[in-house]
Amino acid sequence: MKPETLTNKTIGLVLSGGGVKGMAHIGTLKALNQRDIYPDNISGVSAGALVGGLYADGSSTDDMLLFFKETPLLKYNFVTVNKPGLFDTDKYLPFFEDFFTAHHFGGLEKRLTVVATNLLKGKPKYFDEGELFTPLLASAALPPVFSPVNIDGQLYTDGGIMNNFPVGPLVDDCEIIFGCYASTMREVGKGQIKNALQISQRANLLMLHANARDKLCVPDLLFVPEELGGIGVLDKKGIDKAFVLGYDYANRKLDEWLQ
């Protein structure tokens, strides 16, 4: 692929879930932008929805990283006893107020599609208009850690349950599609599954990978950063590492592809 081939092309970017591993998406965006590649149309889920939302709102990669570093994940006073979930997702809204300029999809600089799971109907829901923050929160509300989000009387949770690689919304509208997949799958030893939390995390990862696997062939160029498997989904200490892994991997792949 020659760089000039991208001129005047509609470029799409699909971003998977992956929790803290999704910081690799920010590294991928930095590598793309450094080559004057600016996706027009983003489709994201969970951590990918948050990164895509920040990018569509005009945030720099530094500000994206700052958002994730300053937003608490497991804050003790966010614990809920009257909602299904360990932490009250609604209490994260003020952090969106601090970092986002747009409050509605229509105010974004880029087109954005966010997928969440309707728990009551058992169906994925694609949001691309109206209020912005609650769909973003819902898309990233990993059960059972975070409570579902109420939108128009329906309960929504992590979109990765139904679609962890939402490339579909881009297929008919984009001439070039890039994808970043951060829900890496690898074999683990018995000693790595010792408690209920580790069982839950492993089961979630298998579920996410199963519903994404058949879609990974759709993008023109797919980034699957290596070594992300060693980073915990909710381990904030891994933010910078995941970012660097994503950035370095995207640089290598883009240099090969653009030649």
Side-chain angles (χ1 to χ4, degrees):
M1 173 68 69
K2 299 296 183 182
E4 57 268 22
T5 308
L6 298 175
T7 304
N8 298 322
K9 297 284 188 182
T10 302
I11 299 174
L13 176 65
V14 54
L15 302 173
S16 75
V20 171
K21 300 176 188 180
M23 302 307 97
H25 299 327
I26 303 176
T28 298
L29 276 165
K30 182 173 181 177
L32 287 168
N33 293 169
Q34 286 178 337
R35 290 160 177 80
D36 293 324
I37 301 172
Y38 301 96
D40 316 283
N41 195 337
I42 303 94
S43 182
V45 61
S46 198
L50 299 178
V51 172
L54 288 163
Y55 170 72
D57 193 46
S59 292
S60 67
T61 53
D62 286 343
D63 284 342
M64 293 180 204
L65 287 171
L66 189 63
F67 169 83
F68 288 99
K69 289 177 179 180
E70 293 199 355
T71 301
L73 283 177
L74 308 178
K75 194 172 183 180
Y76 72 93
N77 58 342
F78 284 9
V79 171
T80 179
V81 294
N82 56 4
K83 290 185 178 182
L86 299 176
F87 295 88
D88 187 347
T89 306
D90 291 336
K91 290 189 177 180
Y92 291 85
L93 276 172
F95 296 93
F96 288 76
E97 298 277 353
D98 291 341
F99 280 88
F100 279 80
T101 300
H103 288 220
H104 295 80
F105 281 88
L108 295 171
E109 297 178 8
K110 310 282 187 179
R111 182 175 176 185
L112 175 69
T113 301
V114 170
V115 59
T117 297
N118 186 319
L119 274 178
L120 305 184
K121 295 183 178 181
K123 295 179 179 180
K125 169 72 174 179
Y126 297 88
F127 295 90
D128 59 10
E129 60 183 7
E131 198 273 325
L132 177 63
F133 296 164
T134 48
L136 287 175
L137 277 172
S139 184
L142 177 69
V145 179
F146 301 107
S147 64
V149 177
N150 188 325
I151 303 176
D152 297 330
Q154 297 290 312
L155 293 180
Y156 291 92
T157 192
D158 196 321
I161 295 171
M162 304 296 293
N163 188 351
N164 196 41
F165 196 70
V167 68
L170 305 180
V171 171
D172 293 332
D173 296 325
C174 300
E175 296 163 279
I176 300 289
I177 297 176
F178 296 105
C180 188
Y181 185 66
S183 296
T184 52
M185 245 293 298
R186 66 177 183 178
E187 186 174 335
V188 300
K190 288 190 294 184
Q192 293 176 265
I193 303 178
K194 300 177 181 179
N195 54 51
L197 177 60
Q198 289 171 340
I199 291 173
S200 175
Q201 289 180 334
R202 181 62 176 174
N204 277 332
L205 177 59
L206 294 174
M207 171 190 66
L208 297 175
H209 186 63
N211 74 46
R213 186 171 47 202
D214 293 341
K215 307 181 188 79
L216 298 179
C217 61
V218 177
D220 297 278
L221 181 61
L222 177 68
F223 304 99
V224 188
E226 300 160 353
E227 301 177 13
L228 286 176
I231 298 173
V233 171
L234 298 175
D235 182 10
K236 290 188 69 174
K237 294 179 181 178
I239 288 176
D240 286 323
K241 182 178 179 181
F243 166 75
V244 171
L245 288 172
Y247 177 66
D248 290 345
Y249 184 85
N251 277 325
R252 295 195 299 271
K253 293 288 286 187
L254 283 166
D255 285 346
E256 294 171 5
W257 190 71
L258 291 171
Q259 287 177 0

